[in-house]
Amino acid sequence: MQTVTNPAVIDQMTPVPFRVRSVREELSHTFTLELEPPNGAFEFLPGQFTMVYAFGIGEVPISISSSSSNQGTILQTIRRTGAVTHALGHLKSGDYVGIRGPYGVPWPMDEIKGRDLLIIGGGIGLAPLRPAIYHALENRDDYERVVVLYGTRTPNEILFEEELGKWGARTDCTTMVTVDAADRGWNGAVGVVTRLIGRVGFDAANTTALVCGPEIMMTVTAERLMEVHSMAPENIYITMERNMKCAIGVCGHCQFGAKFICTDGAVFPYPEVEELFDVKGV
Amino acid sequence: MSEMYVSGQSGIGRLIEALAERGHRVIGPVVRNQALVYDEIEGVEDLPKGWTDLQEPGKYRLERRGDEKLFGYVVGPSSWKQYLNPPEEVLWSGTIGPDGFQTDPPPEPPLYAFFGVRPCELAALAILDNVYTTTDGVPTFGGYTATREKAFIVAVNCSDPGGNCFCVSMDTGPTAKAGYDISITEVAHSGNMRYLLSSGSAAGAEVLAGLGGLDEASSDEIEAGDAVLARAAEMMGRELDTNDLPDLLKGNVLNPRWASVGDRCLACANCTMVCPTCFCNTVDDNLSLDGTHATRTRKWDSCFTLGFSYMHGQPMREAVSSRYRQWITHKLSSWVDQFGEMGCVGCGRCITWCPVGIDITHEAGAIRRGDLRDTHITVGGHSS
Ligand code: SF4
Ligand code: SF4
Ligand code: FES
């Protein structure tokens, strides 16, 4: 996946320093780094990820959350969960991170031209979907309907809230947000994101679903799309998450059945991973 | 076919010395701590002359052969991966400054000659190459590629297969087919040791031509060598039926047999450490006290450890049975999907060095036969 325009690498395990241009707090545990590639351009496709390295602390796989048409800087939206992501959270503008990538199979934006897009995100899962949404809206004529459904825990945890509002205000993009638990100020939908699916109404044969969120949310969503809405499994794409140490298929950590999540995914057509979902400890 | 030479043990000694003179660190089999391991050798006297290794599930012992053979044994706990893909290796290190960080220049890769590489081990090297090669030409681990490219390989065909060998089943031995610079066959001829040498590369041919004191092998001598290897092929300690095995394992994810092997397995990871093809690894980060210099170290890891599959603080493979299933299914099934070949060469190490004698051939066979449980497995693997 390393393209020629991207910074030269010694070997695939050696990161390239990217300068932090800005840091933006998104939610209480989530922030976005804006990063500058050293030679001014970084090519990637919607849904791809990089390995982000905090100097001397460690490396984590993070999906790119910005538009793939903007190569000058990239955005990576990160949740503080462990030592590395906490270290990344302490970075200030002018600091450096190490980047390897981009890696992984992108969302199938070319293959699904001409179709209706049903983009379903849960929690921080909206971050890897955002480049797909940008792509669809920037190339709006390439797609028929564009629907964005987003579910999160509480009204305080709505990622990219402002943008969701903007997308919702467009006449050519249907956007709906739901929360698991509402508070007094909330007058939107309450309940899991799958409940929104029935409300939008769509043409199953002409729709492709891109789904990203916690594993359980994705399986429930996929099952509902297939069982209740008669969608063909091959029209559903999800992302898989596993422990990753290398992102290039050589550390063995991310194996899921015969797949390397890092190089065969992280985006998968549902049939490729479906049968292993129910087996414990694969 | 390249020219076949013949020599006595002195010719083997001259070969080791010639490789050293060409600047190689020559690594070969030596006796250490009652086992045959790979280490630096300087001459023929360092080789385990007259030794053999007795191997059974969970059992390993060196014994005197009662002859002068230099190569009358098979493989021990070490494998060549420890030189190409060391147990611990600095991936890169670097210094941080106001303009980002600068990576330190990588060290010069060592110039090895691997002496006494068995046919199954050649196959294992080819498998590792396949794992570590990428389509875009950028090396995965710079160290592996650089070391591997420069290494000189002296293969030794197997005349005395061991009790846990099944290279015939895996089609990797007992005769080396490709991937060596020089190959050697040891032929015992009424107490007199003769060595057939042939080259498999231009570098090998050059070394042999420069060796001096070698005779051209007669057709009788070549035949004697072929007979040794044909006999060796009949002496396999184990057998693995690979027919449809990848699909068979895939179709048995929920087989209760996994629970039975999970009960016996200690999850000690020995099998993965000794396996010449197991490549899983992890990384470790270190920061100097002043916070300016960082080192990333790659270390062997194993799918048998609980931490291997950790995600968000939870192991994905909690049950030992799921880890054993992951390992054997990877070796014999999903490796084929990933790399177009199985990840097992039939060397038998994992069987020998498993403290409870779990046998990959037996476990795969049990899945095939539908045996749920063994009633009489003991350590040492004798079932009566
Ligand atoms: S799985 Fe066992 S027999 Fe096969 S190559 Fe590895 S150690 Fe050798
Ligand atoms: S199979 Fe044997 S060697 Fe491998 S982890 Fe289990 S007990 Fe250890
Ligand atoms: S992350 Fe190392 S193999 Fe996928």
Side-chain angles (χ1 to χ4, degrees), chain A residues 13 49 51 61 100 242-255 259-264, chain B residues 279-281 308:
Chain A
M13 290 302 285
F49 67 95
M51 293 299 280
R100 295 193 292 122
R242 278 293 178 277
N243 187 350
M244 284 191 198
K245 296 290 182 196
C246 73
I248 54 173
V250 300
C251 79
H253 277 263
C254 70
Q255 288 178 90
K259 308 282 182 210
F260 287 117
I261 303 288
C262 63
T263 51
D264 297 323
Chain B
F279 61 83
C280 287
N281 57 83
F308 188 81

Side-chain angles (χ1 to χ4, degrees), chain B residues 293-323:
Chain B
H293 193 261
T295 308
R296 296 211 92 200
T297 310
R298 189 187 56 70
K299 291 179 175 174
W300 286 0
D301 201 349
S302 171
C303 55
F304 279 94
T305 67
L306 191 58
F308 188 81
S309 62
Y310 258 65
M311 202 177 62
H312 307 315
Q314 291 255 336
M316 302 303 292
R317 296 189 198 103
E318 186 158 16
V320 172
S321 57
S322 72
R323 290 178 242 158

Side-chain angles (χ1 to χ4, degrees), chain A residues 82-101:
Chain A
V84 180
T85 47
H86 272 99
L88 293 171
H90 287 130
L91 294 173
K92 299 176 300 297
S93 128
D95 289 342
Y96 282 84
V97 295
I99 294 291
R100 295 193 292 122

